[in-house]
């Protein structure tokens, strides 16, 4: 991929995505094999006004070795210096930029149990810091291709063909072309998403009913004090940022503990570096009570039983089947993209920012209204070509989706 277009993309991430403020520090998470793009991005961060850019490098094959060779005790420990770093983050409030490029099943073969136990052990120490920065700083997730990921997406192409094709596909989804103004396109795109949210918010639905011929027949109740969000978000300090690049979704957080019926997945799910395919989940009293998967059944069970609240919902998202990502016909094996191809729901944590007036509320207050709190937040796709979604308010029905797309 040409350096000029990579720079254009990097600039978009730094400005429209993270919207780095003059003098603000940046924390950048990336894989070591992406050093070339990341160098351009760091340059763009400084040009946007960053006071310092702190790198958090990662490399999947090394993560895999760590899980194989370190003891559970060693993996579970949060070192003092790690905690100091987290503490510093709550004081400096850096923008966080995540560049993802991992192989969707690059952690295949890792002992899932060990991974899960280590995560559970580390969580209580990390959580207070995570809560302390919520809504107080900008963050964004964007992607660049790796050869391994590209081969997974385009298995019939050569390594370099696949890599170039994935670059093209990614840039298309984030509205970057050689001769356009991506910042202006993002503004236009955000406006469209905002209009959809306003339409949904005007109804104040009590619950949504999803139905499709593959077996999905499911109801989820909405928080009365909640609303639909999409596209750009706002920090407590009033800074606009775009958390996901790309994004096509309009979403809300349902009431944790109030959902009934069956959902059937319509796309494979890459979770913790491994795939779960062709699965369904039954909900009762808001909790997943029964499930099955053709592939990755035990991983699905680990995910749903991660903690007490992983079996409850944190998100409902609406995406029409004619969104640019679903029309590309590409299965990315990466939630950042695939979630924008299809209606999805998420198990685990909900989003405080879907509550009216959340910026003046505490986490506890949001949770008391029905926002789920969990160690996980995992999106999975349930959108089908013939999906119908109906919203109900005081018993009155309004069609939201018909044949997999907006009813109006
Ligand atoms: Zn989503
Ligand atoms: Zn989500």
């Amino acid at each position: 991929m040409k350096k000029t277009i990579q720079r254009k993309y990097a600039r978009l991430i730094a400005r429209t995505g993270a919207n780095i403020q003059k003098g603000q520090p940046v924390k950048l998470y990336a894989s070591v094999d992406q050093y070339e793009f990341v160098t351009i991005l760091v340059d763009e961060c400084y040009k946007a006004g960053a006071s310092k850019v702190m790198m958090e490098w990662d490399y999947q094959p090394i993560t895999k070795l760590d899980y194989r060779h370190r003891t559970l005790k060693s993996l579970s420990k949060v070192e003092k210096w790690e905690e100091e770093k987290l503490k510093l983050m709550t004081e400096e409030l850096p923008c966080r930029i995540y560049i993802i490029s991992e192989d969707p099943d690059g952690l295949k073969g890792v002992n899932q149990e060990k991974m899960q136990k280590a995560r559970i052990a580390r969580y209580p120490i990390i959580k207070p810091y995570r809560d302390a920065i919520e809504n107080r700083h900008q963050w964004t997730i964007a992607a660049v291709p790796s050869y391994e990921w590209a081969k997974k997406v385009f298995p019939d192409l050569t390594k370099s063909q696949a890599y170039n094709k994935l670059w093209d596909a990614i840039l298309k989804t984030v509205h970057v072309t050689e001769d356009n103004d991506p910042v202006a396109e993002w503004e236009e795109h955000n406006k469209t998403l905002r209009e959809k949210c306003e339409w949904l918010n005007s109804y104040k639905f009590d619950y949504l009913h999803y139905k499709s011929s593959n077996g999905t027949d499911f109801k989820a109740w909405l928080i009365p004090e909640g609303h639909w969000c999409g596209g750009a978000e706002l920090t407590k300090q009033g800074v606009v940022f775009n958390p996901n690049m790309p994004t096509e979704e309009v979403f809300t957080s349902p009431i944790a503990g109030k959902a009934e019926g069956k959902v059937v997945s319509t796309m494979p799910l890459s979770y913790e570096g491994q795939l779960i395919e062709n699965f369904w989940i039954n909900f009762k009293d808001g909790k997943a009570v029964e499930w099955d998967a053709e592939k990755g059944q035990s991983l699905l069970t680990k995910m749903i039983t991660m903690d007490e609240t992983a079996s409850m919902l944190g998100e409902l998202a609406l995406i029409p089947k004619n969104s640019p990502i679903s029309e590309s016909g590409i299965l990315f094996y990466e939630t950042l993209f695939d979630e924008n191809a299809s209606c999805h729901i998420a198990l685990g944590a909900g989003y405080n920012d879907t509550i009216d007036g959340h910026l003046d509320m505490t986490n506890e207050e949001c949770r008391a209204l029905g926002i789920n709190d969990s160690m996980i937040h995992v999106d999975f796709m349930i959108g089908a070509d013939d999906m119908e979604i109906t919203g109900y308010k005081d018993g009155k029905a309004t069609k939201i989706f018909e044949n997999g797309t907006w009813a109006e």
Side-chain angles (χ1 to χ4, degrees):
M1 188 50 58
K2 279 195 209 151
K3 284 277 180 302
T4 48
I5 202 159
Q6 288 194 35
R7 183 165 288 278
K8 200 169 180 179
Y9 180 35
R11 194 180 155 89
L12 181 76
I13 295 169
R15 298 186 185 244
T16 300
N19 192 10
I20 301 164
Q21 302 294 291
K22 211 167 170 39
Q24 190 179 19
V26 172
K27 228 172 147 82
L28 210 168
Y29 303 76
S31 174
V32 289
D33 54 339
Q34 301 300 337
Y35 64 91
E36 280 181 310
F37 178 76
V38 170
T39 305
I40 300 172
L41 179 56
V42 169
D43 189 29
E44 286 301 326
C45 289
Y46 282 122
K47 282 182 178 151
S51 59
K52 63 175 171 183
V53 180
M54 298 166 278
M55 290 305 309
E56 295 281 350
W57 293 110
D58 200 345
Y59 190 53
Q60 226 178 10
I62 293 178
T63 306
K64 200 168 172 175
L65 288 170
D66 282 341
Y67 276 109
R68 183 166 305 151
H69 296 288
R70 287 174 64 179
T71 62
L72 177 60
K73 198 175 161 205
S74 154
L75 287 165
S76 301
K77 195 165 180 223
V78 180
E79 302 285 352
K80 271 273 162 289
W81 60 267
E82 286 181 274
E83 222 180 316
E84 283 301 323
K85 265 169 93 175
L86 290 166
K87 205 172 127 207
L88 185 66
M89 194 157 72
T90 66
E91 290 157 8
E92 292 190 326
L93 296 174
C95 288
R96 283 197 289 171
I97 301 177
Y98 296 87
I99 297 301
I100 56 172
S101 59
E102 285 78 12
D103 179 356
D105 48 13
L107 294 182
K108 206 169 162 183
V110 165
N111 182 338
Q112 296 161 8
E113 193 129 340
K114 200 171 170 186
M115 241 173 126
Q116 184 180 24
K117 280 187 178 157
R119 206 171 150 195
I120 291 172
R122 293 170 62 89
Y123 187 70
I125 300 157
I126 292 167
K127 187 176 155 55
Y129 299 107
R130 213 178 72 174
D131 286 349
I133 57 171
E134 196 170 349
N135 298 320
R136 291 176 63 214
H137 73 151
Q138 314 95 280
W139 55 276
T140 192
I141 310 178
V144 291
S146 63
Y147 288 105
E148 295 73 20
W149 178 20
K151 267 302 258 183
K152 178 82 195 170
V153 180
F154 304 111
D156 300 331
L157 300 181
T158 66
K159 232 172 150 177
S160 72
Q161 280 172 337
Y163 177 76
N164 287 326
K165 199 164 172 184
L166 187 54
W167 249 128
D168 287 340
I170 289 171
L171 291 175
K172 202 167 172 200
T173 65
V174 293
H175 315 286
V176 175
T177 65
E178 253 172 90
D179 46 15
N180 76 337
D181 174 2
V183 176
E185 282 197 29
W186 270 82
E187 271 167 25
E188 192 55 36
H189 180 57
N190 273 326
K191 195 172 147 239
T192 312
L193 292 173
R194 233 177 5 251
E195 283 163 6
K196 283 290 171 214
C197 293
E198 281 162 13
W199 181 74
L200 287 164
N201 290 336
S202 69
Y203 284 94
K204 289 256 154 229
F205 292 120
D206 299 320
Y207 69 94
L208 302 191
H209 184 190
Y210 292 70
K211 239 178 131 83
S212 56
S213 60
N214 64 355
T216 291
D217 187 352
F218 168 71
K219 289 176 184 165
W221 275 259
L222 305 184
I223 298 173
E225 297 82 0
H227 59 255
W228 293 83
C229 302
E233 290 185 17
L234 216 56
T235 67
K236 235 176 196 154
Q237 296 83 350
V239 181
V240 182
F241 67 103
N242 283 278
N244 287 352
M245 306 187 102
T247 186
E248 299 289 338
E249 66 173 356
V250 162
F251 68 95
T252 193
S253 299
I255 301 180
K258 226 179 158 197
E260 298 291 328
K262 184 180 186 177
V263 290
V264 180
S265 75
T266 51
M267 280 171 119
L269 165 65
S270 173
Y271 176 65
E272 303 265 335
Q274 301 180 56
L275 291 173
I276 304 171
E277 290 178 61
N278 295 325
F279 60 100
W280 56 263
I281 301 174
N282 251 336
F283 287 87
K284 201 176 173 335
D285 297 326
K287 285 194 167 184
V289 287
E290 223 186 331
W291 53 86
D292 198 13
E294 255 171 45
K295 202 178 147 195
Q297 158 79 10
S298 69
L299 187 59
L300 179 64
T301 301
K302 288 223 162 54
M303 182 181 107
I304 297 174
T305 57
M306 188 78 184
D307 57 22
E308 281 291 301
T309 44
S311 63
M312 293 195 283
L313 294 174
E315 178 188 344
L316 304 175
L318 305 177
I319 296 99
K321 69 176 177 192
N322 50 0
S323 86
I325 294 178
S326 74
E327 280 192 336
S328 77
I330 298 168
L331 180 61
F332 288 83
Y333 295 99
E334 166 50 56
T335 301
L336 179 65
F337 295 87
D338 294 335
E339 73 159 359
N340 287 300
S342 167
C343 284
H344 58 267
I345 59 179
L347 283 169
Y351 293 112
N352 285 355
D353 51 11
T354 61
I355 297 288
D356 302 338
H358 70 100
L359 290 175
D360 301 315
M361 292 167 73
T362 62
N363 284 330
E364 290 65 35
E365 286 169 326
C366 292
R367 273 143 211 175
L369 293 175
I371 296 282
N372 196 23
D373 186 20
S374 168
M375 230 181 285
I376 65 160
H377 173 97
V378 184
D379 297 296
F380 59 94
M381 311 321 137
I382 60 165
D385 274 356
D386 64 347
M387 177 157 268
E388 266 190 41
I389 305 171
T390 311
Y392 287 86
K393 176 69 188 173
D394 301 327
K396 188 175 173 286
T398 303
K399 274 246 166 346
I400 300 174
F401 260 54
E402 219 165 5
N403 292 317
T405 191
W406 293 103
E408 67 170 75

